[in-house]
Amino acid sequence: MSATTVRVGIFLAIAAGLLAGCSNDNRGEHKPAATPMGHTFVSIGVEGQQIPGGGPMTLTFADGKITANSGCNTATGTVDLAEGILHVGALASTLMACPDENGQADSWQDNVLTSLPKWRLDESTLTLTGKDTTVTLLDKKVAQPDQPLIGTTWIVSALMTPDAQIRSQTLDEVKPTLTIAPDGAVSGSAGCNRITGHATPSPAADGPDVTFQIGTTKTMCAPEIMEVEQAVLKALDGKTTATIDADILILRNTNGFGLTLRAA
């Protein structure tokens, strides 16, 4: 083998190594950076001034916006995550009056979000570091895993009509319930009467669509209770779309009625 051949072989080997290194570097450069966008986080710790009323702080990042609640009102606005700094635009908030210390939670929340805090995402943990307060939050899917539709006893907390979402003292008192067994059997209470029937698909109704076939006993109760019961039965009439977020189940019927339920 000549010296020229050896030099050419060495050059080719070095060139191949350089190309491989460049290829690996490019792959690293194009790896998307971790971002909280598309996730909801719940606070698990606060350093500095604590959340009035105890919180927790819940932050949802979606479509370039942030939605925040720390125990009182819910605020929503635009958000920019550039350069590891949380830039929050003007926040539009609900205007609910909150009792005791919870009434101060909105002010605490505004101070944290508008202080240009640094943010860092380590796998499922989001840390916001402001001037005086550091908040550690955990991805809600990790902190509060979705409850299974099947086998969980669900309690109705709100009624949905085509025009509104309704909560009432009567609803809180009668506590309608719904349970779907692994074989699809349905049991519970519509508020006055016991309900029985079947839900499909079965045995694992974990898809977005659930179709109910429901029957009830025939007891008569006070008019306000029967009004709640009729709304529950309208929501459980035929095909519904089921959405679960942690311990909250939302059933929406194609007829415009629906239910918000919480895991017992």
Side-chain angles (χ1 to χ4, degrees):
M1 181 181 296
S2 68
T4 301
T5 301
V6 171
R7 286 195 296 271
V8 170
I10 293 173
F11 173 78
L12 291 175
I14 293 173
L18 291 174
L19 287 173
C22 290
S23 176
N24 289 336
D25 290 344
N26 288 338
R27 283 197 297 269
E29 290 174 359
H30 289 90
K31 184 178 179 180
T35 172
M37 197 60 65
H39 297 268
T40 296
F41 297 85
V42 180
S43 65
I44 56 173
V46 177
E47 295 180 13
Q49 184 181 2
Q50 299 299 300
I51 306 173
M57 168 183 262
T58 301
L59 300 180
T60 298
F61 298 84
D63 301 324
K65 295 183 178 180
I66 185 172
T67 300
N69 183 288
S70 297
C72 188
N73 285 286
T74 297
T76 302
T78 58
V79 65
D80 186 343
L81 302 170
E83 299 181 355
I85 304 294
L86 194 73
H87 298 265
V88 176
L91 294 170
S93 176
T94 57
L95 299 174
M96 181 175 62
C98 300
D100 304 323
E101 291 186 355
N102 288 334
Q104 303 300 316
D106 293 346
S107 177
W108 177 92
Q109 177 176 277
D110 288 343
N111 289 337
V112 171
L113 295 181
T114 61
S115 66
L116 298 177
K118 297 179 181 179
W119 68 269
R120 186 180 74 251
L121 184 63
D122 299 313
E123 297 184 349
S124 58
T125 301
L126 173 67
T127 304
L128 299 182
T129 303
K131 294 180 180 179
D132 303 313
T133 306
T134 297
V135 185
T136 303
L137 307 99
L138 187 62
D139 193 307
K140 188 176 179 181
K141 294 296 184 183
V142 177
Q144 302 172 7
D146 292 347
Q147 295 295 309
L149 176 62
I150 304 301
T152 300
T153 295
W154 300 96
I155 301 174
V156 179
S157 58
L159 308 170
M160 289 181 282
T161 71
D163 303 314
Q165 179 169 281
I166 301 170
R167 290 182 169 89
S168 68
Q169 182 177 346
T170 300
L171 179 62
D172 292 340
E173 290 173 352
V174 299
K175 292 183 172 61
T177 61
L178 172 71
T179 304
I180 303 174
D183 63 357
V186 174
S187 60
S189 165
C192 176
N193 287 280
R194 288 181 290 107
I195 60 175
T196 58
H198 199 268
T200 55
S202 175
D206 57 0
D209 295 328
V210 183
T211 300
F212 290 94
Q213 295 175 303
I214 298 296
T216 70
T217 54
K218 302 300 181 183
T219 302
M220 292 300 296
C221 295
E224 61 272 20
I225 297 177
M226 298 308 296
E227 185 177 350
V228 168
E229 177 158 301
Q230 288 303 310
V232 171
L233 294 177
K234 285 180 181 178
L236 299 178
D237 180 19
K239 186 176 181 179
T240 69
T241 298
T243 304
I244 297 177
D245 183 11
D247 62 347
I248 300 297
L249 166 64
I250 296 178
L251 295 175
R252 296 185 184 273
N253 196 297
T254 55
N255 63 21
F257 288 82
L259 302 172
T260 298
L261 309 95
R262 183 179 296 276

